Amino acid sequence: MIALIAVLGVPIAAAFMLALIAGYRLSARINGLASFLSFAGSLLLLIHRPAPNVLFLVDDLNVVFIVLNSFVGFTTSLFSAGYIGHELESGKLTAGYLRFYHAMFQLMLFGMNLALVAANIGLMWVAVELATLSTVMMVGIYRTHEAIEAAWKYFILGSVGIALALFGTILVYLAAHPVIGEAGAGMRWTTLLAHASRFDPALLDTAFVFLLIGYGTKIGLVPMHAWLPDAHAEGPTPISAVLSGLLLNVALYALLRFKILLAACPGAIAPGPLMIALGLVSTLLAALMLYRRRDIKRLFAYSSIEQMGIIVFSFGVAGPLGNLAGLLQMTMHSLTKSAIFFSVGHVAQVKGTQRIAEMGGLTESHPLLGWTLVAGVIAIAGLPPFGVFTSEFLVVSSSFSRAPLLTAFLVLGLLLSFGALLRHLGGIAFGPVRGETAPARAASAPIFAHLALVLTAGLWLPPPLVAWFRHAASLLG
Amino acid sequence: MMGAVAIEALQMAFVLLAAPGLVGIVRAVEARFLRREGPPLIQPYRQLARLLGKEVVLAHNASWLFRTAPYLILALTWVAASVVPTFSTHIVFARLGDLIVITALLGAARFVLALAGLDIGTSFGGIGASREVMFASLAEPAMLMIVVTLAITAGSTQLSSIAAFMLSPVLGLRISLALALVALVIVALAENGRIPVDNPATHLELTMVHEAMVLEYSGRHLAMIELAAALKLLLMISLIVCIFFPFGLGGTGAAGFLLGLASYAAKLGIAAVLLGIFEVSLAKMRVFRVPELLGAGLMLGLLATLLLYVSRSL
Amino acid sequence: MGLGFDIAHMLAGLMVLASLLLLYQDRLTALINVLRLHGFILALAVAWQAHIQSAPELFVSAAIALLVKALVIPGALDRIVERLGIHRNVETVGGIGLTMFAGMALVALSLRVMLPVTAAADPVSRQDIALALSVVLIGLLIMVTRRNALGQVAGFLSLENGIDLAAAGARGMPLVVELSVAFSVLIAFIVIGIFLFRIRERFDTIDLAALESFRGERR
């Protein structure tokens, strides 16, 4: 119970507090403290899970994500403290915005945590909507032409997606109602899952299509991905880290819950082929788009789309190994992508630009930043010994046994993105030095922490973690 | 049987005689609302009488079509007006009183009129004919959608069955019928060339549709065409009244018959007054905007049909 | 069943009609007025659902719909339009005839999709869901065919109204969901309001063609 209060109550209380505090240093510290407290709370949840009640549910599927969420939230708040301080000094942001920024940050963490622990599909929807709305405001915070366009597009596409997801939720309720009957229970996971085999298959199918399109928009699946690159590129970097690392995961988690429901109903269509198709298209398209990017944040935004495509593909293939691979990939991608965005944020601040053509020779001018970026990109490109390699290998091997031809396409996508990322990395990190060479004041602890975790996961996965993932994978069916 | 024939004859005579009177009432109401004295109610009758006495002047290149068109138009419209159940459903041609038949008769009359307008070869006739046909190309589909809606709801396209269905308690409250009513009113306005589609009182070249087609007619031909136009107005009003407000219809015996007659006369009067008020409150639309209005009518008809699929009859 | 069903059907049908009317508008003040009408009909529909389902908590939902969607939001939009001082026309993409036809096609499509799927459900819910989906799809069409940010907002609000109708039609849907949906619409609207001012301030117009030129990596 205390754990839940920490995970949920602290962010919302902090949001209110931060809306009132004007001083930047104080609010950055409170931000960090609040994030730490929720992280601690999530660790407590690992040890002692509260019994599921009508509002909250903590089971094997979401407990890892809650911990991951809180952890990345915490490290991002540390990163954001230094980053935003620099933005203040360079004049890109004024002090007035910072109250707003910090309050929205905590509100967004609250929304995401609530979505993860919600036991009720309606509550989950509300929480995802809340998280989306808070990020929309933050994407537009710089008020340039591009930022406003990006935020508007994100808002419109996100809202349409979320509205379609709500429609799907209502349809699920309609399917459940004749079987379950009573009002509140008709929206609880546990009740829904228990009776899922008796739901009307056709209605459930239609519901899933809406949910796939709706939540798929928030995951960034092609063709609903149009908001993602701009939102990542134009918002402040901590927001890009959170969007890529966390919000995409939360949306995917929501979709997975419904996938479990669909799997429990025998007459319903297999969600696999739909997810495989969307995942594959996303991977291939994003991999191709990586080649011609000129903006560094946009580059990694497309990389996120590609990674999400791989993950959705893997869940589409399903089976114990496929699901395990997907879950592992989600975790690794979260950690790696946020680490990359941390370093990219510092790089952009140091070089004063986001254009790749204007950066070069980073390992010479700023060795620490350069080499951590190199490590991050190698990790996300899927090279050993990092954890992403392990999970991608698992994805490929599990799907190869079931759908060899499609796996071939997936591997093609992986190779394409590999090439593009390394090519861009070569230009940015090595070669002649371009752009500013002033020293950077980077908070490298978060980056190191994430990369260390990914590296460790690549070398040795702790058995309890594997057991959890296995159990969650078996839940996914 | 004899009773049915007698009622039919009575109806045919009634519609023919009442049509100019209807036009007279509309004009009188409009005049009063415009704070004018206006012509007396029997002015249309006087006008017809005057025209019948005048000589027919034909253009040199007028063909046989030009000379026979007025007779055809009057005949077609009179037949259509005679088969709509007005004050009784026991007319001998009840089976002919079918929505599709009426649409076809009116369409044929319009066709003949358009050809007559083109016959002489003047530009006004051409303009009038082309505009008339353009409006018809949208009004006809709208009319058909209304027919479909009514047919699905009542289970038949025969007007007497539809009227009987509308009077029955099975009906309930249906939005499709409300939409169909609005669509039918729009179609009726277009068919009769009333404001906002066309101005029946003007002879300005830019605004004419019906008047342009009959510009060349004179004497008894013009009288017949004017009478046909008045009959068409009566027909459309009777149609709306029969389908949507069939109160007092279908009574049997002398008392029922008299009630039907009285209610029909009352409904005609009310409709004429409402039409007059309506025409006075609106301005005529520009010609290229009329397809939008008719398109709206078509959409309403289409929506009415679609909504039937979620209503309780299906 | 009879009269209860008929009135529910009538109100849902009127909402579809109002959506089509919204699709047709090309002037901002008319657009906002039709939005008021849309919200008002929604409030009536939800209130009627509350009556026939004997679910008094839905009356609260209806009151919120009336207050927020028929009064507050259109009123705020009116003031935004005034303060933005923008040109009152809304350009559309594609001709009006084609758009209306597409709207009707969407209505037919949603009926075609939802009716067979909900065959086992209660008739009132069934027709509510089918017509609500049409309202949602027409809302999407409005968003797609409008080049003015306010037009897109109108489409978005009508889309949310459609979903509200669906939620009300689903018998026994817990009130907390509907309340939170209403709340999130309000918050979303506040976000919209802020954005419109920022767009205006930055671009001197709310024509989205101006925003388009800053899309992606055009420079």
Side-chain angles (χ1 to χ4, degrees):
Chain A
M1 206 47 212
I2 297 187
L4 271 177
I5 294 176
V7 163
L8 291 176
V10 168
I12 189 80
F16 278 113
M17 235 198 305
L18 286 167
L20 303 168
I21 296 177
Y24 158 66
R25 289 205 181 283
L26 183 61
S27 46
R29 288 204 183 116
I30 294 185
N31 197 20
L33 182 65
S35 313
F36 178 71
L37 284 175
S38 21
F39 174 53
S42 65
L43 286 176
L44 261 179
L45 274 179
L46 269 184
I47 303 171
H48 169 73
R49 289 185 203 169
N53 61 23
V54 71
L55 284 178
F56 304 120
L57 165 73
V58 179
D59 64 3
D60 277 338
L61 183 56
N62 60 11
V63 72
V64 182
F65 289 117
I66 300 172
V67 176
L68 184 66
N69 224 20
S70 319
F71 177 65
V72 176
F74 171 53
T75 46
T76 311
S77 66
L78 292 178
F79 165 70
S80 134
Y83 181 84
I84 297 290
H86 192 271
E87 296 288 275
L88 251 185
E89 282 171 29
S90 65
K92 279 175 84 176
L93 279 179
T94 60
Y97 291 136
L98 287 182
R99 284 198 309 195
F100 174 74
Y101 169 83
H102 284 121
M104 286 291 126
F105 191 92
Q106 286 299 324
L107 196 64
M108 174 194 63
L109 285 183
F110 169 71
M112 289 197 284
N113 283 342
L114 186 61
L116 288 173
V117 301
N120 178 312
I121 48 179
L123 188 62
M124 183 177 72
W125 180 86
V126 173
V128 176
E129 163 100 350
L130 185 64
T132 310
L133 284 175
S134 41
T135 43
V136 162
M137 297 303 293
M138 288 200 276
V139 166
I141 206 170
Y142 285 137
R143 295 203 176 182
T144 59
H145 289 80
E146 297 85 345
I148 292 183
E149 192 271 337
W152 182 254
K153 188 154 65 180
Y154 177 27
F155 174 72
I156 292 288
L157 283 176
S159 302
V160 170
I162 209 83
L164 290 176
L166 181 60
F167 194 78
T169 312
I170 294 175
L171 286 181
V172 168
Y173 174 78
L174 255 187
H177 186 253
V179 174
I180 297 178
E182 188 197 338
M187 301 194 76
R188 285 174 65 179
W189 281 124
T190 38
T191 337
L192 283 172
L193 198 54
H195 293 95
S197 51
R198 291 186 287 146
F199 291 168
D200 176 13
L203 195 52
L204 211 57
D205 287 341
T206 320
F208 187 73
V209 170
F210 276 104
L211 288 164
L212 184 60
I213 299 179
Y215 283 122
T217 313
K218 300 224 54 65
I219 297 174
L221 292 175
V222 171
M224 293 92 61
H225 69 289
W227 60 273
L228 215 154
D230 281 346
H232 279 75
E234 305 302 337
T237 315
I239 300 309
S240 314
V242 167
L243 275 177
S244 250
L246 299 181
L247 205 53
L248 300 185
N249 272 2
V250 171
L252 185 56
Y253 161 80
L255 191 65
L256 288 178
R257 284 285 187 195
F258 285 106
K259 179 171 176 288
I260 299 179
L261 214 61
L262 209 68
C265 177
I269 52 163
L274 280 173
M275 292 175 79
I276 292 179
L278 279 178
L280 200 56
V281 168
S282 305
T283 313
L284 286 171
L285 185 77
L288 286 172
M289 295 292 271
L290 281 173
Y291 278 92
R292 303 260 303 188
R293 294 304 108 211
R294 300 196 292 261
D295 178 309
I296 192 171
K297 287 212 271 191
R298 202 164 259 126
L299 177 73
F300 289 112
Y302 276 105
S303 165
S304 289
I305 298 178
E306 188 228 346
Q307 290 289 322
M308 277 301 163
I310 298 173
I311 296 172
V312 170
F313 178 90
S314 178
F315 283 122
V317 166
L321 212 54
N323 288 330
L324 176 66
L327 287 169
L328 199 58
Q329 179 88 355
M330 271 172 93
T331 323
M332 295 299 124
H333 169 248
S334 235
L335 290 169
T336 320
K337 194 46 71 63
S338 35
I340 291 180
F341 273 113
F342 293 161
S343 25
V344 163
H346 285 304
V347 168
Q349 272 185 335
V350 153
K351 293 289 181 183
T353 174
Q354 284 175 207
R355 295 174 72 100
I356 296 180
E358 294 169 18
M359 308 175 189
L362 206 59
T363 44
E364 270 188 52
S365 56
H366 303 88
L368 187 63
L369 273 182
W371 286 109
T372 47
L373 185 64
V374 169
V377 175
I378 290 182
I380 202 73
L383 281 172
F386 287 99
V388 182
F389 170 73
T390 324
S391 51
E392 281 183 3
F393 185 76
L394 265 177
V395 171
V396 171
S397 56
S398 68
S399 50
F400 195 75
S401 55
R402 290 171 181 236
L405 185 60
L406 295 173
T407 317
F409 279 111
L410 189 76
V411 172
L412 176 66
L414 285 173
L415 288 174
L416 281 173
S417 65
F418 179 83
L421 282 171
L422 286 184
R423 191 173 137 233
H424 282 294
L425 182 68
I428 299 171
F430 304 106
V433 175
R434 286 191 291 257
E436 305 269 336
T437 48
R441 294 167 309 161
S444 30
I447 309 178
F448 278 127
H450 283 209
L451 287 177
L453 278 174
V454 177
L455 185 60
T456 323
L459 296 173
W460 172 75
L461 274 171
L465 196 67
V466 178
W468 274 325
F469 277 140
R470 275 236 163 84
H471 193 206
S474 65
L475 280 177
L476 284 168
Chain B
M1 186 56 197
M2 281 311 295
V5 173
I7 295 179
E8 179 67 59
L10 182 62
Q11 175 161 335
M12 290 179 77
F14 184 85
V15 296
L16 198 63
L17 292 174
L22 196 66
V23 173
I25 297 178
V26 174
R27 286 189 194 155
V29 167
E30 284 180 16
R32 284 287 156 176
F33 269 88
L34 292 174
R35 301 188 65 185
R36 291 188 281 121
E37 271 273 337
L41 284 176
I42 57 167
Q43 187 63 19
Y45 294 103
R46 284 185 182 158
Q47 198 164 336
L48 285 176
R50 176 175 59 94
L51 281 172
L52 282 172
K54 287 202 168 178
E55 181 194 355
V56 169
V57 177
L58 286 177
H60 288 296
N61 51 352
S63 70
W64 62 270
L65 180 66
F66 191 79
R67 287 193 301 271
T68 52
Y71 300 98
L72 276 174
I73 294 169
L74 181 61
L76 286 166
T77 319
W78 195 7
V79 167
S82 311
V83 298
V84 175
T86 50
F87 43 82
S88 169
T89 48
H90 299 297
I91 47 180
V92 80
F93 293 127
R95 273 188 311 159
L96 265 185
D98 184 298
L99 276 169
I100 303 203
V101 167
I102 292 174
T103 315
L105 286 170
L106 287 180
R110 185 197 349 264
F111 174 62
V112 171
L113 185 59
L115 283 181
L118 287 170
D119 190 73
I120 301 289
T122 61
S123 43
F124 289 127
I127 290 178
S130 74
R131 285 177 182 173
E132 174 76 17
V133 174
M134 172 179 75
F135 294 163
S137 66
L138 284 168
E140 293 282 325
M143 185 70 195
L144 282 176
M145 290 310 330
I146 297 166
V147 171
V148 168
T149 309
L150 291 169
I152 296 181
T153 315
S156 155
T157 48
Q158 262 201 6
L159 283 167
S160 38
S161 321
I162 295 179
F165 180 81
M166 293 290 178
L167 284 172
S168 71
V170 162
L171 184 62
L173 196 66
R174 293 187 193 237
I175 187 178
S176 300
L177 291 179
L179 292 175
L181 175 59
V182 176
L184 190 54
V185 168
I186 294 177
V187 168
L189 287 173
E191 289 264 353
N192 288 299
R194 312 303 299 189
I195 295 197
V197 174
D198 180 18
N199 192 340
T202 182
H203 288 266
L204 291 173
E205 300 84 53
L206 291 178
T207 63
M208 292 189 288
V209 177
H210 183 261
E211 302 300 325
M213 287 187 285
V214 303
L215 204 57
E216 295 286 328
Y217 278 110
S218 52
R220 62 175 184 280
H221 291 167
L222 188 56
M224 280 189 281
I225 290 187
E226 300 244 326
L227 185 56
L231 262 177
K232 199 163 162 187
L233 180 64
L234 184 105
L235 162 68
M236 293 308 285
I237 293 180
S238 307
L239 201 62
I240 294 175
V241 151
C242 164
I243 296 174
F244 292 103
F245 307 102
F247 319 115
L249 199 62
T252 49
F257 174 78
L258 283 173
L259 176 65
L261 196 56
S263 60
Y264 178 63
K267 288 178 218 168
L268 276 184
I270 295 173
V273 170
L274 286 176
L275 179 61
I277 299 175
F278 181 74
E279 287 209 312
V280 165
S281 9
L282 281 184
K284 191 183 106 62
M285 288 174 108
R286 297 182 63 179
V287 171
F288 66 85
R289 297 286 303 257
V290 175
E292 280 182 27
L293 177 69
L294 290 173
L298 175 59
M299 290 298 155
L300 284 174
L302 200 52
L303 188 61
T305 314
L306 281 175
L307 283 179
L308 276 180
Y309 282 91
V310 275
S311 77
R312 59 178 159 129
S313 59
L314 285 168
Chain C
M1 214 243 282
L3 192 65
F5 177 89
D6 277 344
I7 295 187
H9 174 53
M10 176 182 82
L11 288 169
L14 281 177
M15 270 198 83
V16 176
L17 187 61
S19 280
L20 287 170
L21 212 56
L22 202 58
L23 191 56
Y24 175 76
Q25 297 307 325
D26 62 353
R27 280 188 218 135
L28 278 178
T29 28
L31 197 71
I32 297 176
N33 283 334
V34 180
L35 260 181
R36 279 198 177 93
L37 181 69
H38 207 260
F40 183 67
I41 299 176
L42 175 71
L44 283 178
V46 175
W48 183 253
Q49 286 294 327
H51 175 67
I52 54 176
Q53 285 179 24
S54 310
E57 57 267 14
L58 274 182
F59 279 117
V60 177
S61 191
I64 293 179
L66 186 64
L67 203 60
V68 171
K69 297 188 184 188
L71 292 175
V72 169
I73 290 187
L77 276 175
D78 262 333
R79 280 184 43 224
I80 289 177
V81 168
E82 245 180 74
R83 284 174 60 186
L84 282 179
I86 49 183
H87 196 42
R88 301 288 170 107
N89 263 4
V90 180
E91 288 93 33
T92 54
V93 172
I96 194 74
L98 199 60
T99 320
M100 293 301 284
F101 189 71
M104 298 304 296
L106 285 175
V107 176
L109 176 71
S110 57
L111 290 182
R112 178 75 185 86
V113 165
M114 291 308 299
L115 282 179
V117 161
T118 51
D122 158 46
V124 178
S125 306
R126 207 176 157 206
Q127 60 99 15
D128 257 346
I129 291 275
L131 291 175
L133 182 60
S134 340
V135 174
V136 167
L137 289 178
I138 295 177
L140 273 175
L141 184 63
I142 297 174
M143 287 177 90
V144 164
T145 54
R146 292 270 173 281
R147 286 197 358 217
N148 181 306
L150 255 164
Q152 283 196 345
V153 169
F156 172 68
L157 289 171
S158 66
L159 190 144
E160 291 279 343
N161 284 356
I163 295 194
D164 218 344
L165 181 66
R171 191 173 279 263
M173 191 105 172
L175 185 64
V176 67
V177 173
E178 303 195 16
L179 280 180
S180 5
V181 171
F183 185 66
S184 60
V185 171
L186 198 57
I187 304 291
F189 184 71
I190 295 173
V191 170
I192 290 170
I194 298 177
F195 263 108
L196 285 173
F197 277 101
R198 288 199 190 167
I199 292 179
R200 169 79 172 86
E201 161 194 322
R202 201 32 87 164
F203 291 93
D204 278 335
T205 171
I206 58 173
D207 184 348
L208 292 170
L211 269 75
E212 281 290 296
S213 59
F214 289 96
R215 184 166 70 104
E217 296 172 299
R218 296 279 175 92
R219 290 144 287 113

